[in-house]
């Protein structure tokens, strides 16, 4: 990006009097990009604080969608780069704040966050507070290399997130509709469902169920969650 | 909003009083502090053999569980004086049948078949189509299948009252004695959690904040250039 700009500048005949230095241009561009970003150093970790309106909102995830603009992963990286440059050029001040009291994981040496907090086999599609930490603002899952989840737990969380979406437990994590889109009036109101394993449009009706010994069963929930902790003596029925 | 209150005695369990008003059904229980053994014999007999009216809210509930609760009370199997010939079943009123929730993909997979006996009249409807046509049909069929297959079944079905929404007619509202608890615990949506609850929940993982995507895991404090330890 910068090489291209330099080449463009060299090609264009610049006016002698009004020519701005490279650093000045960079400063302007970075300030424009970063006017809404305030940089704080909190203890041993660096957490960007985004100013929205009057108050500053703490984000726990770099993919947080603020009200005025959507921060894509590349946008966040750009902001991080120019913040670092501004800091080294002494444009912004670092203020060391004491860390807030955050609860510590009971098993800090594990690589997967679920194992760190000993939550394996203990979560379900209803634990929305847990699931919302691993999803994007439009409802999709965050990649494994970012979250640090191991493969099995990543699939289990993905399955639970899918079931939570179908049950309507994540109403604010829908993909954004195109601008100026008018939703059609729906003829049927949405049906309530829970523990839906398959996509709604992909399932076919079972016209012939068969005899009792060879019945075509309807599956409920997912077999990946069959090892979940159960506090009742009844077994988990996946095929109804 | 019009309010109307009437009281009716219920014999079941510890005696309870019921309060309700007409705009939507709201049930409160006030425990009475006298024992049924202090009733006179005629009052006790009257209380034992009286037909109660139960109310069930089927919002976000699986229809099969609702139907089994209904069938138990329609037969009278919840009473210690039960006998199949005694006709001691109670009335059951189910409201919000339009908002039942099937588990799994049963809305698409479950098929209700019917045949009138005439050739070419075999109809098969999925649960979703059936529900659109008649919002009370699913629970009605479920209860019908759970009742004993004898002549008393029809009378028990007459004592079952299904309503698609929470608007109940006045005469049924006046008769209600007890509301039964819902079988399934409705999970909370993310929007229903308060900000305090969300803040109290610990963050399981923190993002690796750095300039480039493939950066090393060791981060440095920009002030002192010392490596950070998590």
């Amino acid at each position: 990006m910068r090489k291209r700009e330099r080449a463009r500048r060299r090609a264009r005949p610049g006016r002698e009097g009004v020519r701005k230095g490279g650093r000045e241009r960079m400063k302007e561009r970075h300030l424009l990009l970063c006017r809404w970003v305030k940089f704080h150093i909190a203890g041993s970790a660096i957490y960007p604080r985004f100013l929205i309106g009057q108050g500053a909102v703490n984000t726990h995830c770099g993919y947080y969608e603020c009200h005025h603009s959507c921060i894509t992963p590349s946008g966040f990286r750009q902001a991080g780069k120019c913040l670092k440059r501004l800091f080294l050029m002494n444009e912004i001040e670092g203020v060391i704040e004491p860390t807030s009291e955050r609860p510590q994981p009971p098993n800090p040496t594990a690589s997967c966050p679920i194992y760190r907090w000993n939550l394996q086999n203990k979560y379900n599609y209803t634990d929305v507070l847990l699931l919302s930490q691993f999803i994007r603002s439009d409802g999709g899952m965050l990649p494994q290399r970012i979250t640090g989840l191991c493969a099995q737990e990543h699939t289990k969380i993905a399955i639970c997130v899918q079931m939570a979406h179908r049950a309507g437990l994540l109403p604010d994590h829908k993909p954004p509709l195109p601008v100026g889109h008018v939703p059609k009036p729906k003829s049927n109101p949405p049906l309530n469902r829970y523990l839906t394993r398959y996509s709604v449009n992909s399932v076919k009706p079972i016209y012939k169920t068969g005899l009792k010994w060879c019945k075509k069963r309807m599956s409920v929930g997912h077999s990946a969650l069959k090892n979940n902790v159960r506090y009742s003596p009844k077994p988990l029925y996946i095929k109804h | 909003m019009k309010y109307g209150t009437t009281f009716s005695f219920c014999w079941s369990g510890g005696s309870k009083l019921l309060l309700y008003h007409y705009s939507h059904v709201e049930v409160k229980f006030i425990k009475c502090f006298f024992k049924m053994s202090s009733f006179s014999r005629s009052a006790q007999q009257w209380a034992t053999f009286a037909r109660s009216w139960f109310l069930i809210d089927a919002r976000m509930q699986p229809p099969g569980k609702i139907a089994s609760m209904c069938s138990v009370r329609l037969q009278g199997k919840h009473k210690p004086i039960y006998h199949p010939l005694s006709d001691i079943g109670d009335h059951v009123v189910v409201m919000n049948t339009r908002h039942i929730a099937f588990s799994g993909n049963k809305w698409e997979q479950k098929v209700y078949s019917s045949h009138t006996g005439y050739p070419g009249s075999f109809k098969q409807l999925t649960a979703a189509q059936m529900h659109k046509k008649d919002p009370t049909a699913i629970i009605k069929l479920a209860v019908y299948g759970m009742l004993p297959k004898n002549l008393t079944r029809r009378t028990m079905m007459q004592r079952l009252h299904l309503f698609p929404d929470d608007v109940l007619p006045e005469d049924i509202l006046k008769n209600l004695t007890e509301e039964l608890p819902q079988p399934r615990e409705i999970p909370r949506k993310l929007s229903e959690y308060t900000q305090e609850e969300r803040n109290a929940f610990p963050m399981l993982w923190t993002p690796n904040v750095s300039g480039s995507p493939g950066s090393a895991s060791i981060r440095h404090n920009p002030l002192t250039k010392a490596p950070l330890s998590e």
Side-chain angles (χ1 to χ4, degrees), chain B residues 109-207:
Chain B
Q109 285 181 311
K110 197 170 177 65
V111 163
Y112 290 91
S113 321
S114 62
H115 201 305
T116 62
Y118 289 93
S121 68
F122 181 50
K123 287 206 178 70
Q124 280 185 303
L125 291 172
T126 58
Q129 292 163 344
M130 179 76 114
H131 194 68
K132 189 178 174 186
K133 205 171 105 178
D134 178 14
T136 61
I138 288 181
I139 294 198
K140 191 166 164 193
L141 285 168
V143 176
Y144 194 75
M146 291 190 188
L147 292 174
K149 318 286 182 279
N150 54 29
L151 293 170
T152 57
R153 182 163 57 161
R154 298 259 164 180
T155 41
M156 288 177 204
M157 286 302 288
Q158 283 183 333
R159 289 183 189 141
L160 175 70
H161 311 273
L162 299 168
F163 297 97
D165 299 302
D166 56 359
V167 174
L168 301 178
E170 264 190 48
D171 42 0
I172 290 187
L173 271 181
K174 279 192 203 165
N175 290 339
L176 290 171
T177 58
E178 194 181 333
E179 180 168 11
L180 300 173
Q182 296 191 304
R184 174 195 173 223
E185 199 191 302
I186 302 175
R188 286 167 73 184
K189 298 184 190 174
L190 189 59
S191 46
E192 285 167 19
Y193 282 96
T194 57
Q195 193 58 43
E196 290 83 34
E197 282 171 318
R198 281 191 235 198
N199 295 341
F201 198 85
M203 294 197 296
L204 295 186
W205 66 285
T206 50

Side-chain angles (χ1 to χ4, degrees), chain A residues 44 60 77 102 117 125-126 130 133 169 188 192-198 200 203 205-207 218 240, chain B residues 60 62 99 101-109 124 132 184 187 190 201-207 211 228:
Chain A
S44 63
H60 66 257
R77 258 179 257 129
R102 287 166 67 212
W117 290 86
Y125 77 105
T126 48
L130 176 87
Q133 293 188 18
L169 298 177
N188 329 327
N192 297 328
R193 50 184 81 237
Y194 63 101
L195 289 171
T196 35
R197 180 171 184 171
Y198 302 116
V200 169
V203 187
I206 301 174
Y207 289 115
M218 302 175 275
H240 280 205
Chain B
M60 302 296 283
H99 305 125
F102 261 123
S103 56
N105 289 93
K106 289 181 196 163
W107 283 116
E108 292 77 36
Q109 285 181 311
Q124 280 185 303
K132 189 178 174 186
R184 174 195 173 223
L190 189 59
F201 198 85
M203 294 197 296
L204 295 186
W205 66 285
T206 50
L228 293 170

Side-chain angles (χ1 to χ4, degrees), chain A residues 25-215:
Chain A
R25 280 177 188 256
M26 208 160 71
K27 269 191 219 177
E28 278 181 5
R29 195 171 59 233
H30 293 320
L31 283 169
L32 274 171
L33 185 64
C34 309
R35 64 183 157 78
W36 42 263
V37 172
K38 206 173 182 186
F39 193 64
H40 280 251
I41 306 175
S44 63
I46 299 166
Y47 293 104
R49 287 170 132 243
F50 296 100
L51 285 170
I52 300 169
Q54 303 111 357
V57 177
N58 240 337
T59 64
H60 66 257
C61 169
Y63 300 84
Y64 179 84
E65 187 180 84
C66 72
H67 299 291
H68 303 300
S69 58
C70 186
I71 310 169
T72 53
S74 56
F76 189 70
R77 258 179 257 129
Q78 286 295 317
K81 273 188 210 169
C82 63
L83 278 170
K84 192 174 166 185
R85 253 182 245 123
L86 280 173
F87 185 76
L88 293 169
M89 294 187 317
N90 298 322
E91 289 292 321
I92 52 172
E93 195 182 287
V95 176
I96 299 174
E97 280 181 4
T99 37
S100 52
E101 291 302 315
R102 287 166 67 212
Q104 291 302 310
N107 187 11
T109 50
S111 53
C112 172
I114 302 280
Y115 280 86
R116 250 180 267 147
W117 290 86
N118 285 335
L119 290 172
Q120 62 272 31
N121 302 329
K122 285 188 187 146
Y123 58 90
N124 202 1
Y125 77 105
T126 48
D127 305 319
V128 194
L129 288 169
L130 176 87
L131 299 176
S132 60
Q133 293 188 18
F134 298 101
I135 55 176
R136 291 200 307 260
S137 59
D138 65 347
M141 280 288 288
L142 289 168
Q144 251 183 298
R145 57 188 165 84
I146 303 289
T147 59
L149 284 167
C150 50
Q152 292 92 350
E153 295 300 321
H154 178 82
T155 45
K156 280 195 213 170
I157 296 257
I159 287 160
C160 291
V161 163
Q162 221 179 37
M163 291 207 284
H165 273 302
R166 286 169 187 156
L169 298 177
L170 299 165
D172 305 322
H173 291 262
K174 300 278 179 197
L177 293 169
V179 177
H181 176 258
V182 176
K184 282 181 282 181
K186 284 189 186 168
S187 55
N188 329 327
L191 297 165
N192 297 328
R193 50 184 81 237
Y194 63 101
L195 289 171
T196 35
R197 180 171 184 171
Y198 302 116
S199 152
V200 169
N201 295 326
S202 72
V203 187
K204 300 282 170 233
I206 301 174
Y207 289 115
K208 291 183 192 172
T209 47
L211 299 162
K212 254 192 182 172
W213 58 274
C214 60
K215 209 164 212 162

